[in-house]
Amino acid sequence: MKKYILHIFLFISIIGFAQDGMVKAEIDTANIRIGEQFQLKISVNETKNVIIPKLLLKGLEVVDSTKVDTIKNSLIRKYILTGFDSGAFYIPQQQIFIKNQAYLTDSLLVNVATVAIDTTKVKKFPIKSIKKEPYTFDDFKIYLYILLAALAIIGFWIYWFVIRKRKEEEDGPTYRTLPPYEEAIYRLNELDEKLLWQNNKVKEYYSELTEIVRGYIERELKVPALENTTDEVLEMLRNFKQADTIQTSQETLDKLRSLLREADLVKFAKSKPLALEIEEDRKDAQEIVSNLKPKPIIEADDELE
């Protein structure tokens, strides 16, 4: 208990010492009218280890403040204050810390008076009607955005359902489908112009060459030659030959077998045939297309005749 009493005594002693000229608060006037400004100056007779906390006020407001200035071994800080309510207001004691010791400034009284208005000398004017603000771009911005969105939707609709459809109709294919033989010959000539094997693209060359021949067989004989394996295609043609439903020779079937097997070796076993062999396979492909055809169907009336 004695320890706490000692602490309180020391604190009171420190506060009492604070009044001994170490800190000082001054105002340039003690009477102002509502809204007028006055100056509060806080001075500290020390420059080292000084802390000036935030100003504490009741009924008054800080308009502006300066940085701490050093003048003749003293620190000075100025505040611009004002009041917006009439009455008497105290600027309470402000606590300043110097070398970890607290010092208090004096409290100051400020009177804030109202501004007297002589209503007999005030010129009166008639009440004006409410005037509308002028229109600005922001007033119409939402309508402009809605209009642009509507135009974009209409434009897209016109393009998608009218112009695009008409363009597709105009750009539609106008060519006729070639017969299987003519298409195969046409594609073989196109393959020659690509110069694939001459540019070391032997695998691509044989893939397209056998695709042309298989495509011809599929269209001409109406069988799935493109999807079937080499053995399945050859087995199917042997059956057609035995059933006497195709018009070809055994030599043509042998050339077809040799061509398809060579293509499989190139594609899957990375075989590299010589230029003479490639040219011979190209000739065989055209001979196969020319000599492999279905037998014509003889109508019953022709047999009777």
Side-chain angles (χ1 to χ4, degrees):
M1 186 65 179
K2 292 181 180 180
K3 183 178 179 181
Y4 289 118
I5 293 173
L6 179 61
H7 286 172
I8 293 171
F9 177 77
L10 289 175
F11 179 75
I12 294 172
S13 299
I14 291 172
I15 298 301
F17 177 72
Q19 312 303 321
D20 192 17
M22 288 298 293
V23 294
K24 185 179 180 181
E26 302 174 89
I27 54 176
D28 58 358
T29 180
N31 298 288
I32 64 169
R33 289 178 293 182
I34 289 178
E36 283 186 337
Q37 298 177 356
F38 66 98
Q39 179 179 277
L40 167 67
K41 182 173 72 173
I42 294 179
S43 305
V44 181
N45 291 333
E46 182 59 65
T47 60
K48 296 182 179 179
N49 299 325
V50 177
I51 298 175
I52 303 177
K54 184 179 178 182
L55 198 63
L56 299 175
L57 298 174
K58 293 181 180 180
L60 299 173
E61 296 184 16
V62 178
V63 177
D64 197 4
S65 63
T66 63
K67 293 182 178 179
V68 177
D69 294 329
T70 304
I71 301 175
K72 295 182 181 180
N73 296 324
S74 297
L75 297 181
I76 296 176
R77 187 167 189 181
K78 297 178 181 180
Y79 301 87
I80 304 298
L81 307 180
T82 188
F84 295 103
D85 292 323
S86 62
F89 301 96
Y90 276 99
I91 299 176
Q93 291 178 312
Q94 305 298 315
Q95 193 175 46
I96 311 297
F97 294 94
I98 303 173
K99 296 180 181 179
N100 296 325
Q101 291 185 353
Y103 295 82
L104 294 176
T105 65
D106 294 330
S107 62
L108 302 171
L109 179 65
V110 178
N111 294 304
V112 182
T114 58
V115 179
I117 300 175
D118 189 354
T119 57
T120 60
K121 296 181 179 180
V122 176
K123 188 177 180 180
K124 297 181 179 179
F125 297 93
I127 298 175
K128 294 183 179 180
S129 60
I130 298 174
K131 189 176 181 180
K132 294 183 178 179
E133 293 184 0
Y135 290 110
T136 63
F137 172 75
D138 290 339
D139 295 327
F140 303 97
K141 185 166 58 177
I142 184 64
Y143 301 105
L144 179 61
Y145 291 158
I146 293 174
L147 177 61
L148 291 176
L151 291 176
I153 293 172
I154 293 172
F156 175 79
W157 185 88
I158 293 174
Y159 169 78
W160 188 262
F161 293 102
V162 180
I163 299 176
R164 177 175 167 274
K165 186 175 182 181
R166 185 181 301 169
K167 186 177 180 181
E168 286 181 353
E169 292 175 355
E170 292 175 356
D171 296 343
T174 56
Y175 58 86
R176 64 182 180 86
T177 303
L178 295 174
Y181 173 75
E182 292 181 16
E183 180 188 9
I185 297 300
Y186 178 79
R187 291 185 63 189
L188 287 172
N189 293 332
E190 275 191 332
L191 179 61
D192 294 339
E193 294 175 359
K194 292 181 181 179
L195 302 176
L196 291 177
W197 69 267
Q198 292 90 335
N199 290 288
N200 296 323
K201 295 181 179 180
V202 179
K203 183 177 179 180
E204 291 86 342
Y205 178 82
Y206 272 93
S207 294
E208 191 165 341
L209 181 65
T210 53
E211 182 184 348
I212 294 171
V213 175
R214 284 172 175 269
Y216 166 78
I217 295 172
E218 183 165 306
R219 288 194 62 198
E220 190 66 72
L221 302 183
K222 296 180 176 56
V223 293
L226 288 170
E227 293 82 5
N228 289 342
T229 64
T230 295
D231 292 335
E232 289 172 341
V233 172
L234 295 174
E235 180 65 24
M236 187 165 44
L237 293 179
R238 272 197 301 268
N239 293 335
F240 287 163
K241 177 69 174 171
Q242 293 174 0
D244 200 23
T245 56
I246 58 174
Q247 186 176 326
T248 187
S249 63
Q250 186 60 42
E251 182 183 1
T252 301
L253 296 180
D254 293 339
K255 288 182 177 181
L256 175 63
R257 180 187 302 105
S258 176
L259 174 63
L260 295 180
R261 295 276 166 79
E262 183 68 34
D264 289 341
L265 290 174
V266 171
K267 289 187 287 185
F268 304 115
K270 297 183 180 180
S271 174
K272 294 183 178 180
L274 301 174
L276 186 63
E277 295 173 331
I278 297 174
E279 292 175 351
E280 190 65 30
D281 287 336
R282 166 64 179 84
K283 292 178 183 177
D284 290 345
Q286 185 158 344
E287 288 184 15
I288 294 167
V289 170
S290 301
N291 297 323
L292 181 59
K293 300 181 184 299
K295 276 196 172 183
I297 299 175
I298 302 174
E299 299 292 340
D301 293 341
D302 294 340
E303 290 181 355
L304 292 174
E305 290 178 3

